[in-house]
Amino acid sequence: MMKLRRCLALLAFAAVFMSGPGYAKSLRFASGYPPNSVAEQAAQKYTQVLKDETDGALSARVFSLTLLNLLESSAGVRDGMADAAVVLFPYFPGEYPRINMLAEISMLLNAGGEDPAHAGLIFTGAFSEFLFQSCPGCQKELAAQNQVFLGSGSTPTLPLLCTTPIREAKDLTGKRVRTSGAQWARWVEKMGATPITMSVNEIYEGLNQGVVDCTVQTTTELSIFKLDEVVTDITLGVPGGVFGGSGVNNMNRDTWRGLSDAERRAVLKASAVFSAEASWGYDALGAENLAAAKENGITVHQAGETFRVETQAFIDKDVETIAENYRTRHGVENAAELIDAFRPLLQRWQDLVDGVESPEQLAQLYWREVFSKVDPARYGM
């Protein structure tokens, strides 16, 4: 197996440095998302910025659903099947425990009892900054998978998409709710409902046939998976949190080390754009879908005061549960300390994101505050 990996890495190295006229370098980027999706469009922006920053000396080719799927991405980048890819860390709990723990505490965004505006943009900035600058254990997890982290991306906040009105916690009693993470499943149980696990492709039929009453889902999925055809009610303000456990451009470490300092800096500059475009794209689509839902007769509720207070009490307690789970199950002995160190970044980024009005401004913000501070001569080396 080690010989196979070494051979694949050498082939990847050769592919990077012996492609195109005059041996211009070309990176193979694997996307597990379909063409014309938000993630795919962000990847295309990345390739253009990379080309512009290096005057064409370094480029990237995006392979959508043809080189690696999302379940293959981590091992595929590790073994050199692709030079880089989108890696969704929660798909690989054993490989990235510290990183996944940070992703699991995204409901802390709701501190204060309500969703902040642009929650995904906030979490992307905080998560990227922490992994780059303040989590050596996270970097060890990445190194063990022969990867270099080059930025994150996040969804908008997660409300309840339902086939019945939900305004207070008592309205959830006895309901069946599809969840996409352990923290949301625990919240559902605390509110007196039953968490249900099903793939995202099954949610439409699940709601349509009454198998589930609600799904904890971003409003982006209203159009992507046509859930706007079966959802009748949306409840904002609970449970909150975002899906932010992603590496939008995880790169094979051998490939990264084969680049010059200037080329690595260009990759970082392009990755800041990638993170911004992906997060902004999901945020904008979520807002667009919510507005369309209101126009098309879907009833939008704000969670009641008691519901939000009960949710906040759950979040405060669940942070302790998360830390203990990762300490006992995954050996993250400093779990509580990591969470305490990460918390202040959420408020910092809420302040920083306030007033940002375009993906271009967001990319400049990410670059100034995070990516430009990464030393290309030392990082990942």
Side-chain angles (χ1 to χ4, degrees):
M1 179 60 72
M2 290 300 297
K3 287 185 177 179
L4 176 59
R5 289 184 189 175
R6 199 172 293 116
C7 289
L8 289 170
L10 288 171
L11 287 172
F13 186 87
V16 171
F17 289 95
M18 297 182 66
S19 58
Y23 298 118
K25 303 171 188 176
S26 179
L27 304 173
R28 296 161 301 149
F29 181 86
S31 171
Y33 293 91
N36 300 317
S37 64
V38 170
E40 164 77 5
Q41 292 168 1
Q44 294 295 345
K45 285 273 190 178
Y46 161 77
T47 65
Q48 186 59 54
V49 174
L50 185 62
K51 188 175 181 180
D52 292 344
E53 288 290 317
T54 62
D55 294 325
L58 183 62
S59 62
R61 180 183 175 188
V62 178
F63 292 84
S64 300
L65 296 175
T66 56
L67 188 55
L68 299 171
N69 63 37
L70 291 172
L71 290 174
E72 298 167 334
S73 61
S74 184
V77 173
R78 178 196 67 200
D79 296 341
M81 298 297 294
D83 297 303
V86 177
V87 175
L88 302 183
F89 296 118
Y91 283 23
F92 315 100
E95 288 88 340
Y96 308 102
R98 289 165 184 80
I99 295 173
N100 279 315
M101 182 186 71
L102 296 171
E104 197 169 320
I105 62 173
S106 72
M107 289 175 75
L108 284 174
L109 285 162
N110 290 59
E114 60 183 32
D115 291 322
H118 308 305
L121 313 187
I122 295 166
F123 199 81
T124 292
F127 191 77
S128 297
E129 179 177 344
F130 197 75
L131 261 65
F132 274 129
Q133 300 178 9
S134 304
C135 190
C138 300
Q139 291 294 333
K140 288 180 180 178
E141 291 173 1
L142 290 154
Q145 300 304 315
N146 197 34
Q147 293 179 43
V148 178
F149 171 80
L150 294 171
S152 183
S154 303
T155 69
T157 191
L158 277 73
L160 288 170
L161 309 184
C162 303
T163 57
T164 185
I166 303 292
R167 301 180 184 88
E168 295 289 353
K170 61 183 176 61
D171 299 328
L172 267 184
T173 302
K175 297 293 191 295
R176 297 176 300 275
V177 182
R178 185 266 179 185
T179 62
S180 57
Q183 67 275 40
W184 292 297
R186 290 191 295 270
W187 174 82
V188 166
E189 289 183 328
K190 184 66 175 178
M191 298 302 141
T194 301
I196 302 295
T197 301
M198 61 173 57
S199 75
V200 69
N201 301 103
E202 298 174 311
I203 298 172
Y204 182 103
E205 287 303 319
L207 289 167
N208 193 40
Q209 296 178 9
V211 176
V212 294
D213 302 291
C214 297
T215 178
V216 177
Q217 207 80 26
T218 68
T219 52
T220 57
E221 276 82 7
L222 286 169
S223 62
I224 294 173
F225 296 103
K226 305 299 182 184
L227 299 185
D228 52 1
E229 296 178 357
V230 292
V231 167
T232 62
D233 294 79
I234 298 172
T235 304
L236 304 178
V238 296
V242 302
F243 185 92
S246 64
V248 294
N249 185 30
N250 274 27
M251 185 171 287
N252 175 276
R253 187 167 292 255
D254 300 310
T255 299
W256 174 254
R257 290 176 171 177
L259 302 175
S260 68
D261 289 355
E263 288 165 341
R264 287 192 287 268
R265 182 176 174 81
V267 170
L268 286 164
K269 188 71 176 287
S271 293
V273 173
F274 199 158
S275 289
E277 290 286 341
S279 299
W280 185 275
Y282 279 115
D283 188 77
L285 180 59
E288 180 183 318
N289 285 351
L290 183 60
K294 294 176 181 178
E295 292 177 0
N296 294 328
I298 296 176
T299 304
V300 178
H301 311 276
Q302 290 289 339
E305 177 66 19
T306 302
F307 202 178
R308 287 186 279 115
V309 169
E310 290 178 4
T311 296
Q312 185 59 50
F314 165 81
I315 293 170
D316 292 341
K317 184 65 176 177
D318 197 55
V319 171
E320 299 174 8
T321 299
I322 292 170
E324 182 61 15
N325 285 347
Y326 277 88
R327 188 186 70 81
T328 58
R329 299 177 186 176
H330 297 284
V332 183
E333 293 299 329
N334 63 336
E337 290 83 355
L338 280 174
I339 292 173
D340 287 343
F342 181 70
R343 272 181 191 261
L345 291 182
L346 296 176
Q347 183 59 57
R348 162 175 153 77
W349 277 92
Q350 185 169 343
D351 296 338
L352 286 170
V353 165
D354 185 33
V356 172
E357 298 180 347
S358 69
E360 291 78 19
Q361 288 184 9
L362 185 63
Q364 291 170 5
L365 176 65
Y366 287 162
W367 173 250
R368 184 185 76 232
E369 297 292 331
V370 180
F371 291 80
S372 66
K373 298 179 181 180
V374 178
D375 183 356
R378 300 179 62 186
Y379 180 71
M381 303 303 286

